[in-house]
Amino acid sequence: VTGEGPNEVGARATRTRVNPIGERERAPPHRAPAMAATDSPGGANIAEPGEMPAESGPSFRFEARRARLDWRLLHSVDVDRLMRENDLDMLETTLETVAFGDVTVEDSRNLTVNNSRKILRLAQCQVEYLLHVQETLVAHKERLRRCAEEAQRECIDAKSRFKHERVRAKELKRELRTARKALRTYEVLEQIRSGKTLEEILT
């Protein structure tokens, strides 16, 4: 593994910002998902004003580290190139071994300065990416909340219009019945004026 400067991650950090909900869809790592947008640091879900409290999911617990670090995979990664090209596929490939590898059982000969520096830089990139995913999910949640509020307002307006139109329809029916009665009366009066007898009119 080649040596890498300690400040190189900060110099390139902004280049790892990509939209996880963009052109390429990737399957997220199955063991280390990003923190949900509704999760608080203490693990409890906090409802926003005017919002129904969300059902609390399973509480977070750290897993025991039982796997060995995949040094072959780690040696194959060029961190500078990964950051330069925003290679998220490679970043997610290393997530499993970096997050769940047990460094306490590693041979100290493997934990050289360069190897440790590479693992640290990969962990920094992974944390930055997962924080970006979390920010994106929070923004997406906010858009969905606004859409839901707008849909709720439209539903209330539609119900109000429906109630108004139903009342108006009843009034029109009453007016129609009254007009029909008046028309029938006028027809009878006209027939009387024309000289018809009452028996002829009724028949």
Side-chain angles (χ1 to χ4, degrees), residues 5 15 21 55 70 72 79 90 100 106 117 121 125 137 150 170:
R15 286 192 290 242
I21 308 177
E55 294 183 2
D70 188 346
R72 178 176 297 180
V79 181
M90 177 58 71
F100 298 98
E106 287 296 329
R117 182 180 295 134
R121 292 186 69 196
C125 293
L137 292 176
E150 181 64 23
K170 290 181 179 179

Side-chain angles (χ1 to χ4, degrees), residues 26-45:
R26 303 176 180 85
H30 67 281
R31 294 183 60 184
M35 183 184 295
T38 56
D39 289 348
S40 65
N45 293 334

Side-chain angles (χ1 to χ4, degrees), residues 132-195:
H132 177 62
V133 171
Q134 180 180 355
E135 292 172 1
T136 302
L137 292 176
V138 169
H140 186 59
K141 175 194 172 184
E142 179 62 21
R143 288 194 298 271
L144 292 178
R145 185 186 65 81
R146 290 196 298 267
C147 290
E149 290 179 349
E150 181 64 23
Q152 187 175 17
R153 286 193 294 268
E154 292 178 356
C155 181
I156 293 174
D157 292 341
K159 288 181 178 179
S160 177
R161 290 194 302 271
F162 174 74
K163 183 178 181 180
H164 174 75
E165 293 298 331
R166 184 171 57 182
V167 172
R168 178 58 179 163
K170 290 181 179 179
E171 292 176 353
L172 291 175
K173 286 181 179 179
R174 286 195 296 268
E175 292 177 2
L176 180 59
R177 286 195 297 267
T178 302
R180 285 177 176 174
K181 291 179 180 178
L183 179 60
R184 180 59 180 166
T185 302
Y186 294 147
E187 290 177 348
V188 172
L189 293 175
E190 184 63 25
Q191 290 175 355
I192 291 174
R193 290 194 188 97
S194 66

